[in-house]
């Protein structure tokens, strides 16, 4: 089973951000991130597929038209698409709001073409998604919450050790600031340390500490999330747990990642590797990615990811998940270290899905490339393109602007841009896009041209 290439059946897409809400509020236009799974509308190119897509607020019809416009017969595909909105803009997870409205749950149930051939595709699986699954009597394409600890920072280190994958030196399962301080002393290292909350995302649960005092609260500290303090961070450590690791000072230091999937039958494979683009005050907040990872360590990343996938498959994990790595330059080449495991759909999933489904490419595990026949495809993607001139514009205007400058998607060459997060344009002047080319250089240049076209500050 693959959410990218289903042959038939109904995908019930639940893009609920069932994640720590305190961190989510720090992301500009966070509610619009429910639109990142709209690439799954491309699966409607298969005549036996139906998509039921839920959202907190209505998705602009121009955005739906944009995605269906990639298909051979948009009108026919539209008949197999049902967009369901709750008309509820409150800053709460979509699934929580849905569960509070039994009538809407019934509507979703009525939308299923065949309940025996339907499944839920959530952004992340929490207890709320499992309750919804039970009400709808649908299987979930994602890991059970009983296995969620395997995707925490502590659990990821445990899985990495079991898989025999190298890790950054550190300590896990720390439940208080005192335990973190004891672990910091045990590392017996000067310079900087990284403290990471067990359950966080996009790097927003990280803190970099310059170890110049036995008490961490007296050390110079840089939190990745704005307005974080040791008082608030200590509360989160007690609630979620944390890990502490040596901060890698090596330069150059790269941050590749891998995307893998595990089927309900226990089969597993690595489907992509990426270079992550990081930003923020500590350079550890996810901004975007490029495909594929560098050839210097692409195979190494793939091998480590496959060993991790084998361990997780044996534990019963199902679905897509990502793994972040460090690549450290040594005299003998690059050495890769596992950073963390994210048991959910992540920031590289929608660019990969968009590139795969629009080009019809096939991932070649031997080379780590997406191949359209003999032609490899490359891409550069961002979730964080923002420009003041875009604020107040309609999504359709932005689509037309880029098309007019030759920056849309060319179905003949299977190159160009695939846009996402268009719903964030009117209020925030923000969107994302994936720039696809026939070479790394072509994809990068298209990405630069698109940024310039969207505005000088983009």
């Amino acid at each position: 089973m693959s959410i990218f290439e289903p042959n038939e059946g109904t995908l019930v897409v639940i893009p609920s951000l069932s994640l720590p809400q305190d961190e989510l509020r720090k992301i500009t236009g966070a509610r619009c991130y429910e639109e990142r799974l709209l690439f799954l509308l491309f699966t409607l190119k298969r005549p036996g597929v139906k998509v039921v897509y839920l959202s907190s607020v209505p998705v602009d019809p121009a955005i739906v038209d944009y995605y269906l416009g990639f298909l051979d017969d948009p009108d026919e595909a539209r008949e197999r698409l049902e967009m369901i909105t709750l008309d509820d803009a409150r800053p709460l997870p979509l699934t929580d709001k849905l569960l509070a409205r039994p009538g809407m749950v019934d509507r979703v149930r009525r939308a299923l073409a065949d309940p025996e051939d339907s499944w839920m595709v959530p952004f992340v699986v929490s207890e709320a998604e499992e309750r919804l699954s039970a009400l709808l009597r649908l299987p979930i394409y994602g890991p059970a919450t009983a296995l969620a600890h395997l995707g925490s920072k502590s659990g990821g280190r445990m899985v990495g050790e079991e898989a025999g994958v190298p890790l950054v030196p550190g300590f896990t399962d720390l439940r208080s600031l005192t335990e973190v301080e004891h672990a910091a002393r045990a590392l017996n290292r000067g310079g900087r340390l990284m403290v990471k909350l067990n359950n966080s995302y996009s790097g927003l649960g990280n803190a970099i500490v310059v170890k110049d005092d036995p008490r961490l609260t007296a050390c110079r500290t840089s939190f990745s999330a704005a307005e974080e303090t040791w008082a608030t961070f200590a509360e989160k450590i007690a609630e979620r747990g944390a890990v502490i690791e040596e901060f890698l000072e090596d330069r150059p230091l790269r941050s590749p990642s891998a995307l893998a999937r595990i089927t309900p039958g226990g089969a597993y494979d690595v489907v992509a590797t990426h270079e992550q683009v990081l930003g923020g005050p500590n350079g550890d907040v996810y901004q975007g990615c490029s495909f594929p990872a560098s050839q210097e360590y692409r195979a190494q990343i793939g091998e480590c990811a496959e060993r991790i996938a084998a361990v997780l498959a044996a534990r019963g994990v199902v679905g897509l998940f990502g793994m972040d790595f460090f690549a450290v330059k040594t005299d003998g080449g690059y050495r890769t270290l596992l950073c963390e495991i994210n048991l959910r759909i992540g920031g590289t999933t929608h660019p990969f899905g968009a590139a795969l489904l629009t080009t019809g490419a096939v991932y070649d595990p031997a080379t780590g490339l997406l191949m359209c026949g003999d032609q490899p495809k490359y891409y550069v993607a961002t979730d964080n393109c923002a420009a003041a001139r875009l604020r107040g514009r309609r999504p359709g205007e932005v689509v037309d602007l880029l098309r007019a400058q030759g920056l849309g998607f060319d179905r003949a060459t299977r190159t160009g841009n695939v846009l996402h997060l268009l719903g964030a344009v009117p209020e925030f002047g923000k969107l994302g896009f994936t720039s696809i080319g026939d070479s790394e250089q072509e994809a990068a240049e298209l990405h630069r041209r698109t940024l310039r076209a969207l505005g000088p500050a983009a």
Side-chain angles (χ1 to χ4, degrees), residues 16-346:
S16 179
L17 302 177
S18 302
L19 296 162
Q21 297 298 296
D22 56 329
E23 292 176 19
L24 195 61
R25 286 191 288 271
K26 296 167 185 174
I27 297 177
T28 301
R31 188 190 67 244
C32 301
Y33 278 60
E34 291 180 0
E35 295 183 7
R36 288 200 299 180
L37 297 191
L38 282 170
F39 78 87
L40 289 171
L41 271 57
F42 296 148
T43 63
L44 292 168
K45 67 181 181 180
R46 305 263 183 155
V49 172
K50 178 177 180 178
V51 174
V52 178
Y53 199 102
L54 282 85
S55 61
S56 292
V57 299
V59 177
D60 189 316
I63 297 175
V64 177
D65 291 343
Y66 169 72
Y67 282 94
L68 295 181
F70 284 80
L71 307 179
D72 291 333
D73 190 343
D75 292 334
E76 190 279 331
R78 195 184 304 272
E79 294 177 1
R80 292 180 282 111
L81 169 65
E82 184 154 354
M83 302 291 295
I84 297 178
T85 178
L86 303 185
D87 282 314
D88 186 343
R90 290 178 299 161
L92 297 171
L94 166 65
T95 309
D96 288 351
K97 292 184 282 192
L98 178 61
L99 288 170
R101 298 171 63 177
M104 292 302 294
V105 175
D106 288 339
R107 180 179 171 186
V108 175
R109 190 179 293 111
R110 291 195 300 271
L112 304 179
D114 179 3
E116 296 299 317
D117 196 16
S118 304
W119 64 93
M120 278 174 51
V121 181
F123 174 73
V124 61
V125 180
S126 72
E127 291 179 356
E129 281 71 37
E130 290 186 329
R131 288 197 297 273
L132 180 61
S133 168
L135 288 171
L136 295 174
R137 298 183 180 180
L138 295 182
I140 303 178
Y141 189 72
T145 57
L147 303 172
H149 64 285
L150 300 175
S152 70
K153 303 301 186 290
S154 294
R157 289 183 63 89
M158 178 190 71
V159 170
E161 289 174 357
E162 186 175 336
V165 173
L167 296 160
V168 180
F171 292 93
T172 64
D173 290 318
L174 307 173
R175 293 288 168 177
S176 70
L177 187 55
T178 300
E179 289 186 7
V180 174
E181 290 176 336
H182 288 165
R185 287 193 287 272
L187 280 173
N188 194 28
R189 182 182 184 276
R192 294 190 286 179
L193 300 172
M194 174 77 85
V195 183
K196 299 190 287 189
L197 297 175
N198 261 341
N199 297 304
S200 62
Y201 53 94
S202 296
L204 291 173
N206 297 350
I208 294 178
V209 180
V210 179
K211 189 182 174 186
D212 51 13
D213 191 285
R215 297 166 302 139
L216 290 188
T217 53
C219 295
R220 287 172 289 158
T221 305
S222 177
F223 295 101
S224 295
E227 301 178 5
E228 193 79 85
T229 66
W230 271 117
T232 58
F233 204 66
E235 290 178 0
K236 293 172 185 176
I237 290 173
E239 177 187 349
R240 305 181 205 171
V243 302
I244 189 168
E245 298 173 343
E246 291 186 3
F247 184 86
L248 295 179
E249 306 282 1
D250 307 69
R251 292 293 180 270
L253 177 67
R254 299 184 182 178
S255 301
S257 68
L259 185 65
R261 64 184 169 194
I262 303 173
T263 72
Y268 57 87
D269 59 347
V270 177
V271 299
T273 64
H274 294 89
E275 294 289 340
Q276 296 186 94
V277 179
L278 304 177
N282 295 327
D284 58 357
V285 176
Y286 180 82
Q287 302 287 321
C289 66
S290 62
F291 172 92
S294 170
Q295 191 169 5
E296 294 176 286
Y297 44 77
R298 189 187 308 159
Q300 224 182 124
I301 296 296
E303 290 168 6
C304 289
E306 189 166 3
R307 293 206 297 270
I308 291 167
V311 171
L312 293 172
R315 297 289 188 94
V317 170
V318 170
L320 283 161
F321 65 97
M323 294 149 280
D324 297 340
F325 295 86
F326 295 114
V328 180
K329 186 67 178 289
T330 68
D331 292 339
Y334 275 90
R335 177 172 61 105
T336 58
L337 304 167
L338 176 66
C339 174
E340 62 188 49
I341 299 171
N342 296 300
L343 286 186
R344 55 175 172 78
I345 287 175

